[in-house]
Amino acid sequence: AQSVTQPDIHITVSEGASLELRCNYSYGATPYLFWYVQSPGQGLQLLLKYFSGDTLVQGIKGFEAEFKRSQSSFNLRKPSVHWSDAAEYFCAVDGGYQKVTFGIGTKLQVIP
Amino acid sequence: GAVVSQHPSWVICKSGTSVKIECRSLDFQATTMFWYRQFPKQSLMLMATSNEGSKATYEQGVEKDKFLINHASLTLSTLTVTSAHPEDSSFYICSASFGDSYEQYFGPGTRLTVT
């Protein structure tokens, strides 16, 4: 069975600082990997996805993620955080047949 | 493009009544629609997957007689919570995909409160 681990439940960063949100997955092969962002009371917005190819993936809003097969990781990064980035971030894995498993989420707080 | 809407965005119902939530793909034909449930401060849990014109496939532990899913057309899926109880209170999110795409497009969610 596939699983996703987001070890950081809550992260606080200063505006302008860099950000890295961790995600580790468990799956027998290389799954499809996603990062979503959810603002309070809202649905999910896709930030970026990895299916194959270049392991460094660029997404919207200045986010990027790097797939590292050896570490089974897909960490999300942003060089300079803005106050509007405060939200909850979910890593997700699809091992096939569109059965998506989400991590528990990381809540990002941005302080001025 | 690829916009998914849900209606209502927020609903309160009394215990024992039924409530229907609609999920629509506004600018594409959704081959497959998904229903998720999200408890406060928790992740999304897939409840069921439905294809247009077919019966929904429910995940283990989800009561199909309680959570009725109808995928009536390529742009509309409905989730009916029957005989709702307070423990059914949750945030319900639908998503849709088309063709062979592995990308799902999510609706804004529906907050259900059962009193």
Side-chain angles (χ1 to χ4, degrees):
Chain A
Q2 61 199 41
S3 66
V4 179
T5 302
Q6 291 182 250
D8 305 307
I9 303 299
H10 189 217
I11 282 184
T12 300
V13 299
S14 298
E15 190 169 16
S18 63
L19 171 70
E20 181 170 32
L21 302 182
R22 296 182 291 167
C23 173
N24 292 93
Y25 68 90
S26 174
Y27 185 67
T30 299
Y32 301 124
L33 297 160
F34 307 85
W35 273 100
Y36 291 91
V37 60
Q38 184 182 34
S39 297
Q42 301 295 315
L44 275 70
Q45 181 181 22
L46 179 68
L47 287 175
L48 46 79
K49 61 190 176 189
Y50 174 78
F51 286 178
S52 65
D54 193 345
T55 57
L56 185 62
V57 181
Q58 301 297 321
I60 63 171
K61 304 185 179 185
F63 285 93
E64 66 177 26
E66 186 171 12
F67 168 61
K68 292 186 177 180
R69 186 191 308 273
S70 61
Q71 299 177 19
S72 296
S73 69
F74 189 56
N75 294 348
L76 181 71
R77 301 194 294 250
K78 186 170 184 177
S80 178
V81 171
H82 188 262
W83 64 266
S84 60
D85 294 324
E88 188 138 24
Y89 292 80
F90 292 94
C91 181
V93 58
D94 184 345
Y97 308 105
Q98 295 182 311
K99 293 285 188 179
V100 179
T101 300
F102 287 86
I104 199 168
T106 298
K107 187 171 184 178
L108 174 65
Q109 182 180 6
V110 180
I111 57 176
Chain B
V3 179
V4 176
S5 70
Q6 282 184 242
H7 179 78
S9 57
W10 181 56
V11 58
I12 300 176
C13 70
K14 292 186 176 181
S15 185
T17 63
S18 296
V19 61
K20 180 184 288 188
I21 302 170
E22 292 186 349
C23 175
R24 293 182 184 271
S25 56
L26 299 184
D27 51 3
F28 66 99
Q29 293 188 322
T31 314
T32 308
M33 285 187 165
F34 307 82
W35 286 96
Y36 295 84
R37 183 174 181 177
Q38 185 180 30
F39 290 102
K41 299 183 180 181
Q42 293 191 28
S43 188
L44 284 75
M45 299 297 295
L46 179 65
M47 299 175 65
T49 304
S50 72
N51 294 294
E52 185 262 342
S54 303
K55 288 185 177 180
T57 301
Y58 291 81
E59 294 301 299
Q60 191 172 8
V62 177
E63 299 176 61
K64 60 180 67 176
D65 294 330
K66 180 167 189 60
F67 298 100
L68 300 179
I69 292 172
N70 183 20
H71 195 157
S73 74
L74 283 172
T75 59
L76 173 65
S77 176
T78 60
L79 167 67
T80 301
V81 182
T82 63
S83 187
H85 289 97
E87 57 265 31
D88 299 324
S89 298
S90 191
F91 194 52
Y92 293 88
I93 302 176
C94 75
S95 70
S97 67
F98 57 87
D100 296 329
S101 172
Y102 274 86
E103 185 167 344
Q104 295 181 28
Y105 300 92
F106 287 82
T110 297
R111 172 79 57 196
L112 170 63
T113 301
V114 184
T115 60

